Amino acid sequence: MKVFIDFDDVIFNTKDFSIYLKGFYASRGVSQELVQKYYYDPAAESELKLFNPEGLFLRLEQYEKIDVSKLRKNFTQQLKHLSKFVFDDVSKFLTKMSKENVYLVSFGLPTFQSQKIQGSGVNKLVSDYIVTEKMKGQAIVQVMKKNKIDFEEKLIFIDDRIAQIEDVKKTFPQALTFLLCRKEGRYCDQKNDYCDYVAGDLRQVLEIISGLE
């Protein structure tokens, strides 16, 4: 059985990380108002906007004439030490499921997400990871082809967004899907027919999986 698991709000406390970043910017002279103003690219046409730190820095340079060279360097350094944002039930869960059976599937900008994943150290606890800006069904297809996983293999998919769960279930009807709704998370989507189980943390997920064996 192979496990495909989301990163933000499932493994990584993204809410606390966002608060931390606001403090980081403020301590270096960039106000919350400026961060909010230039957080997303105003020219982006997609409804689902993704945070790009480099884009923020460029807009601060262009529109506010702020020298961000030191800020950019310090920011990169901050991303190397993110283990404190990993939820405390993650290590036990990943260890129990075995590294060779677990694959991380993250949504976001590849460069930034990879920095977060590697900075958190979670990449060392999983067999492989992929970052996608689209739905995760096809991302999992890529991982399975790359790692020569049988497409008839039993799969577990864990995410905090019901749209992603629906997409994966349509792509892999045999998958057992878990909607993870942590109290620390930013979302708590409504369960639908594509979701097999709802859990509040990875301890509950582990209990459910253990009961199925």
Side-chain angles (χ1 to χ4, degrees):
M1 184 177 288
K2 302 300 182 184
V3 179
F4 293 86
I5 186 169
D6 180 38
F7 184 69
D8 285 307
D9 300 296
V10 170
I11 281 177
F12 190 75
N13 193 329
T14 310
K15 182 187 288 185
D16 278 2
F17 178 62
S18 297
I19 293 170
Y20 169 78
L21 283 187
K22 289 178 182 178
F24 168 80
Y25 294 131
S27 68
R28 286 154 179 81
V30 181
S31 69
Q32 185 175 340
E33 289 74 22
L34 284 178
V35 171
Q36 187 171 349
K37 183 177 181 180
Y38 298 114
Y39 197 77
Y40 293 118
D41 182 358
E45 297 181 357
S46 173
E47 290 184 13
L48 192 57
K49 296 182 178 180
L50 300 173
F51 174 53
N52 181 355
E54 181 58 29
L56 170 63
F57 297 146
L58 290 173
R59 287 187 284 279
L60 288 172
E61 281 181 321
Q62 181 178 354
Y63 301 115
E64 299 295 330
K65 310 304 178 187
I66 297 175
D67 181 359
V68 298
S69 55
K70 189 175 181 180
L71 177 65
R72 184 183 280 114
K73 182 178 180 181
N74 288 343
F75 181 83
T76 300
Q77 287 298 118
Q78 297 301 311
L79 295 181
K80 295 179 179 180
H81 308 286
L82 301 179
S83 60
K84 63 183 176 182
F85 296 107
V86 176
F87 289 112
D88 60 9
D89 58 0
V90 170
S91 181
K92 181 179 179 180
F93 177 82
L94 297 181
T95 301
K96 184 71 176 179
M97 300 311 298
S98 298
K99 176 179 178 178
E100 64 270 19
N101 294 322
V102 183
Y103 299 84
L104 191 60
V105 187
S106 183
F107 175 80
L109 292 174
T111 301
F112 183 42
Q113 286 299 102
S114 293
Q115 287 176 315
K116 285 164 58 183
I117 291 167
Q118 292 173 19
S120 72
V122 173
N123 59 305
K124 298 175 183 177
L125 301 176
V126 299
S127 184
D128 196 4
Y129 74 88
I130 188 171
V131 179
T132 180
E133 297 179 48
K134 300 178 181 179
M135 302 305 286
K136 295 182 178 178
Q138 286 305 308
I140 292 176
V141 168
Q142 291 179 46
V143 172
M144 293 181 73
K145 286 181 177 178
K146 176 185 174 184
N147 292 278
K148 296 180 172 59
I149 300 171
D150 189 337
F151 276 72
E152 298 303 315
E153 176 89 35
K154 289 185 177 180
L155 308 179
I156 289 173
F157 179 64
I158 306 165
D159 206 292
D160 65 319
R161 304 314 308 268
I162 200 68
Q164 295 288 5
I165 287 174
E166 183 171 332
D167 182 71
V168 169
K169 191 73 165 181
K170 287 178 178 177
T171 307
F172 299 97
Q174 81 275 23
L176 287 177
T177 53
F178 288 79
L179 177 64
L180 197 71
C181 189
R182 290 187 185 272
K183 65 180 186 298
E184 303 94 343
R186 297 169 297 166
Y187 310 102
C188 193
D189 291 346
Q190 187 70 34
K191 180 183 184 296
N192 65 16
D193 292 340
Y194 296 94
C195 175
D196 295 309
Y197 302 97
V198 178
D201 56 35
L202 290 175
R203 294 183 186 89
Q204 290 183 16
V205 174
L206 197 56
E207 288 175 5
I208 294 169
I209 293 173
S210 297
L212 297 173
E213 295 175 348

